[in-house]
Amino acid sequence: MEYAPVSYRRTARPLVRLPSGQSVSVTVHRYVGGDGPTIYLQATQHGIELNGPATLCRLHTELIDRSLAGTVVVVPVVNPLAFDHRSYITPAAYDAHNPNLNRVWPGRDDGSLQERLAASLWPLISSADAVVDLHTGTADMLEHVRHFRGQPAATELARTFGTDYRLVDELESNADFDQGTLRAAAAHADVPAITVELENSRQVVHSAVETGLRGVRNVLAAQSVIDEPAIQPPEQIVLDRDGHTVSATESGLFELDSSVAVGDRVEAGEPLGVMYSPSTFETLETVRVDGEGIIYSLARESVVVAGERVAAVGVPL
Ligand SMILES: [Zn+2]
């Protein structure tokens, strides 16, 4: 490790070309110090997840004037197409096949627009020693960090980041859901990566930004990129993310019980709410939890189609 004053460079990286001839590029910040690891931080794969770029903006003011051992590469808005449309996914006009950027990694040079976009960014990720992908959930999701089971370096990154909850899942068994996520592609390339879900979308929320900044700063300290001790994060509650998914068996209007909230410990059979017909007012079903655990997310919309997930319950490990 060798600490040296930061040499800072900001560049525009062209990713893809639109039909009009305009190119889509992202801003890449590089903070280069002395010898050491390369840490890649990105945010805003989904256009409404704003506490990621807000976190990285705060980090910028901390990194610009200090010494580092290693390099920090930051892309605050990896999906400008979704961001500018204030949309979670990318508008279908750009890529009808792959509306979700976080399902196409590592991308393809000759693929759809989003696959090309991912492929253009991939070298920054595959050459890193550690990757932090910042997202945000909603008020109906517990703030947490995620990593795959059986990957010590990613586990340590997630532990160091230090949110109250850490969700663990399987790279292989969950392949359908996680296929093409940045985290899965990085795992296949042997790059330790974590997904962070800060609280709240569509708004910059100070508490989320503080959690994000504390997390990335702690990751950099633990990797000795910044010369300060990593703060021992509080004990995390570790949940098996592949716990229980509570799905509706009927379509209708779902009304959650007023006493139910994320973070609740629940038992098998416990009722979560009632599905009824908004037209005839008939009760169609009482939706119940099928196993014990902690609710880490709840449906954010009350119109529910049969088979749709209304809650996710993680099993404490
Ligand atoms: Zn996201």
Side-chain angles (χ1 to χ4, degrees):
M1 290 293 174
E2 178 208 340
Y3 290 93
V6 159
S7 157
Y8 170 68
R9 196 155 43 97
R10 188 178 72 202
T11 53
R13 185 180 179 98
L15 299 181
V16 289
R17 196 171 153 276
L18 297 177
S20 62
Q22 296 297 310
S23 81
V24 175
S25 59
V26 292
T27 303
V28 180
H29 304 258
R30 268 177 206 279
Y31 310 84
V32 181
D35 285 345
T38 297
I39 313 296
Y40 175 81
L41 311 171
Q42 73 164 37
T44 332
Q45 291 210 62
H46 301 127
I48 59 170
E49 302 184 353
L50 313 178
N51 289 301
T55 293
L56 297 171
C57 180
R58 305 291 201 289
L59 183 71
H60 172 78
T61 60
E62 293 196 4
L63 293 187
I64 191 93
D65 287 324
R66 66 181 300 162
S67 290
L68 300 180
T71 298
V72 182
V73 180
V74 172
V75 183
V77 183
V78 291
N79 189 350
L81 295 171
F83 185 94
D84 287 336
H85 282 80
R86 305 185 199 185
S87 166
Y88 173 77
I89 52 173
T90 305
Y94 295 115
D95 191 337
H97 295 294
N98 301 299
N100 190 340
L101 175 58
N102 204 25
R103 297 293 181 273
V104 304
W105 297 97
R108 282 192 306 155
D109 288 331
D110 60 351
S112 70
L113 186 116
Q114 296 243 81
E115 289 173 323
R116 290 172 193 232
L117 191 149
S120 300
L121 270 173
W122 181 246
L124 297 182
I125 294 142
S126 59
S127 60
D129 297 297
V131 168
V132 177
D133 186 20
L134 294 169
H135 291 250
T136 69
T138 63
D140 299 318
M141 182 187 275
L142 282 178
E143 195 164 63
H144 68 267
V145 60
R146 270 181 227 168
H147 66 89
F148 291 118
R149 192 189 308 278
Q151 300 192 342
T155 305
E156 188 53 23
L157 269 182
R159 203 190 62 74
T160 305
F161 194 95
T163 46
D164 290 342
Y165 290 87
R166 173 153 62 85
L167 267 58
V168 182
D169 48 18
E170 295 285 346
L171 176 56
E172 300 304 336
S173 76
N174 215 6
D176 275 354
F177 185 81
D178 272 331
Q179 202 167 30
T181 62
L182 178 77
R183 187 164 59 102
H188 287 301
D190 281 331
V191 177
I194 55 171
T195 307
V196 178
E197 292 282 357
L198 298 170
E199 58 177 329
N200 219 305
S201 294
R202 292 195 186 275
Q203 274 187 331
V204 175
V205 173
H206 288 147
S207 56
V209 174
E210 278 167 27
T211 303
L213 185 58
R214 192 170 58 238
V216 289
R217 197 193 281 142
N218 224 29
V219 165
L220 297 179
Q223 303 275 332
S224 300
V225 173
I226 55 176
D227 190 14
E228 59 184 63
I231 300 159
Q232 191 60 27
E235 198 61 32
Q236 288 173 316
I237 296 172
V238 185
L239 300 177
D240 181 350
R241 182 176 167 228
D242 305 325
H244 311 286
T245 295
V246 184
S247 302
T249 52
E250 302 284 346
S251 301
L253 196 58
F254 177 62
E255 211 170 296
L256 198 66
D257 283 357
S258 58
S259 61
V260 173
V262 289
D264 284 357
R265 280 183 187 267
V266 288
E267 302 290 334
E270 213 169 297
L272 287 182
V274 171
M275 187 78 69
Y276 61 97
S277 164
S279 303
T280 66
F281 310 138
E282 289 167 282
T283 298
L284 302 171
E285 74 170 306
T286 299
V287 178
R288 294 177 188 278
V289 178
D290 65 356
E292 65 175 341
I294 293 176
I295 300 173
Y296 69 84
S297 86
L298 287 165
R300 65 177 100 155
E301 293 195 21
S302 300
V303 174
V304 172
V305 177
E308 208 173 319
R309 186 174 89 167
V310 295
V313 176
V315 177
L317 293 170

